Amino acid sequence: NTLSFGRMDNNLVFRLGKIRPDTTVLTISPGAVLLPWKDSVASIISMFMPGQEMGNAFADVFFGEVCPGAKLTLTFPNKDNEM
């Protein structure tokens, strides 16, 4: 009943961002999620129900083979009650 990852997951990303601010986070979810640590990391790659080519697609984006620039068809809220 929440759009948030678990507290331990969020704490892990916050701590990683403090240690390595150049961190890229990959999220895999069926839709929008809360990203309270978004300002703590350098970049976020979100994949929605990516399928069997997920690994290849992520590698192509991560290593600069393709530019994933596009407009999102959804909004990422800041709090649960913004939906």
Side-chain angles (χ1 to χ4, degrees), residues 1-81:
N1 298 355
T2 179
L3 297 175
S4 183
F5 291 113
R7 185 174 20 165
M8 290 177 61
D9 298 326
N10 286 328
N11 287 342
L12 174 64
V13 177
F14 270 121
R15 288 191 285 170
L16 283 172
K18 285 183 180 181
I19 296 168
R20 293 294 307 257
D22 59 345
T23 298
T24 296
V25 176
L26 169 65
T27 65
I28 302 171
S29 66
V33 292
L34 297 177
L35 307 172
W37 35 260
K38 66 184 178 289
D39 296 325
S40 301
V41 297
S43 59
I44 302 166
I45 298 174
S46 295
M47 299 181 99
F48 304 106
M49 311 295 276
Q52 67 186 33
E53 285 295 312
M54 177 188 87
N56 293 325
F58 173 70
D60 288 346
V61 171
F62 189 75
F63 293 111
E65 298 295 321
V66 297
C67 179
K71 293 184 178 182
L72 294 176
T73 58
L74 62 131
T75 300
F76 283 80
N78 293 309
K79 297 182 273 191
D80 271 324
N81 64 358

